[in-house]
Amino acid sequence: MHKYYKIDGKDFSIAGEASSDFKTVLKKLGTPAEIVRKVAIAMYEAEINTVIHGGGGECDAAIEKDKIVITFRDQGPGIADISLAMQEGYSTANDKIRELGFGAGMGLPNIQKYADDMSIETEVGKGTTVVLSINL
């Protein structure tokens, strides 16, 4: 099974809709609650990062035989230093984003914590692709 989502980078009121929809799909399919929880958290964090830092993008979520693979792509500014971005509390979010309650610097660390595998491909000035997978 495969789901595609367009992530709007301008409307924070709908940020999180893709992860919420996919969570509903997983529940309807009878996916174990712990898997649904891990997917929902990791996917939400990646979706919010796509909105905040990537200016929007797209998400492909696929349920495979033995795992769930979710890919986020954006054409934002890219990540200059991945190891720094992976540190809890590090954020490049601006004050406006922080006033909305985002930008605490936990996005990438939380994705890594809840996903069984995560990879990041990024190029400054070109964008970022984050692929996360959760074993079934």
Side-chain angles (χ1 to χ4, degrees):
M1 181 191 182
H2 185 275
K3 294 281 284 182
Y4 172 83
Y5 302 96
K6 183 76 176 154
I7 310 296
D8 186 341
K10 297 184 177 21
D11 188 352
F12 275 91
S13 70
I14 60 172
E17 283 189 358
S19 53
S20 180
D21 177 75
F22 197 61
K23 177 180 175 182
T24 300
V25 168
L26 292 175
K27 284 181 172 182
K28 285 181 181 177
L29 291 172
T31 306
E34 182 57 25
I35 302 277
V36 172
R37 182 176 162 281
K38 289 171 68 175
V39 169
I41 293 169
M43 187 172 177
Y44 176 80
E45 294 286 7
E47 183 176 357
I48 294 300
N49 276 359
T50 301
V51 172
I52 292 172
H53 303 291
E58 60 186 17
C59 170
D60 287 299
I63 302 169
E64 299 179 358
K65 180 182 170 188
D66 60 345
K67 62 186 171 181
I68 296 167
V69 179
I70 305 166
T71 304
F72 285 87
R73 291 179 195 85
D74 69 54
Q75 294 180 354
I79 302 170
D81 185 336
I82 292 175
S83 60
L84 185 59
M86 290 300 298
Q87 292 179 18
E88 290 186 10
Y90 176 80
S91 178
T92 58
N94 63 36
D95 289 340
K96 179 182 174 190
I97 299 299
R98 291 175 192 270
E99 287 171 11
L100 293 171
F102 301 104
M106 293 303 296
L108 291 176
N110 276 339
I111 296 167
Q112 186 172 47
K113 178 179 178 180
Y114 290 99
D116 292 310
D117 189 45
M118 178 180 88
S119 67
I120 301 171
E121 290 182 24
T122 187
E123 187 175 341
V124 174
K126 301 262 179 163
T128 301
T129 298
V130 175
V131 180
L132 59 107
S133 66
I134 292 144
N135 298 329
L136 293 173

